[in-house]
Amino acid sequence: MEEAAGVGLLFLGALAFFFVVLIVKGIMIVKQGQCVIIERFGKLHTILSPGINWIIPIMDKPHRMEWRSSREYMDASGRTRSVPFTEYRDVVDMRETVYDFPRQNVITRDNVGIQINALLYFQITNPQDAAYKVESLPTAIEKLTQTTLRNLIGEMDLDQTLTSRETINTRLRDILDTATDKWGVKVTRVELQDITPPAAIQEAMEKQMKAERDRRAMVTEAEGTKKAQILKAEAIRESEIKKAEGMKQAAILEAEGTAEAKIKVAQAEAEAVKIVATTVAQSSNPASYMISMKYIEALEKMTEGKDNKIIYMPYEASNVLGAVAAIKDLTGGAVATK
């Protein structure tokens, strides 16, 4: 009896331990942004959402999916490089994922071989389709991207390829998004990292860019010289115009000054004539007075610069002396002779 009781207790302990292990193994915690596909006896049973979930360990197993990641390392030259590798996971990442595809050779429409490195951003929207409608999702996306990129580049020339990255990205994204929709994948963005033409093409392009820069420099220099000459000519023209205007204004002012001087002289003479006329009007012999004045003026001109010595006496000099006497008589003896 004691042996039977011991065996029973041992069995009950083993059974309890089995149930404890079963409960512990059946608890599955799923992180946020992930999900787990559960298969029961190899058939899709359920999809676990983030949080605490419970499964039957022996009957239920998570579906393992192929996943591609990259590891970074530093090469001998000190550059950081990434190496892709494939692994199998029990969880499905629902977040946006980036694939860095290795360089691949493509040929343009004008038969130039170039190397292109592309980045692909995608997100799994339906984990059931991603798990069961394609054998290897990363490989399928990579091969589809490579073939589509070759087709697009094959329709373009080299120059168009180098200058149409945005167009290539948009067309590639649309094509991949449509093709991967049945796999439960949404392609959000495609980026071309590098487009590397052959060395000979790069050398020719560098020479062409150098020639273009030299041409632009010469054009810029010629335009600068042209503008400088134009500005110089305009400055000379403005200077000549200002100079001519100054001379014109000076001539006008000089003419106005001369005119005003003549007017002043004429006014003075008019005043003198009025005074003389008034005096003559009071005299009995105005004609003799005027003649005498003219003789005196002529005599002053004859004696200019001769120290007041008369070296020539006209024949009618006696008339001058008579004129002086007449002036003396007219002015009442106010005129004094030298």
Side-chain angles (χ1 to χ4, degrees), residues 164-201:
S164 304
R165 290 195 180 191
E166 189 65 29
T167 303
I168 297 174
N169 294 340
T170 303
R171 293 182 59 186
L172 189 60
R173 182 195 62 194
D174 295 340
I175 295 174
L176 292 178
D177 187 34
T178 303
T180 58
D181 184 63
K182 61 181 180 181
W183 300 337
V185 174
K186 173 69 175 177
V187 177
T188 57
R189 189 165 64 254
V190 179
E191 297 290 342
L192 299 182
Q193 281 186 300
D194 297 321
I195 300 178
T196 308
I201 300 297

Side-chain angles (χ1 to χ4, degrees), residues 266-334:
Q267 290 177 352
E269 291 181 353
E271 291 295 331
V273 170
K274 287 181 180 179
I275 295 172
V276 172
T278 303
T279 304
V280 171
Q282 297 174 359
S283 175
S284 59
N285 194 2
S288 299
Y289 174 79
M290 294 302 296
I291 293 172
S292 301
M293 291 299 296
K294 293 296 182 180
Y295 272 114
I296 292 173
E297 291 177 1
L299 184 59
E300 289 179 355
K301 290 181 180 180
M302 291 171 60
T303 58
E304 274 185 1
K306 304 303 179 178
D307 296 330
N308 295 330
K309 294 180 179 180
I310 300 175
I311 60 175
Y312 174 78
M313 180 64 67
Y315 177 75
E316 296 293 338
S318 59
N319 294 332
V320 177
L321 298 178
V324 173
I327 293 173
K328 183 177 179 181
D329 294 336
L330 291 174
T331 57

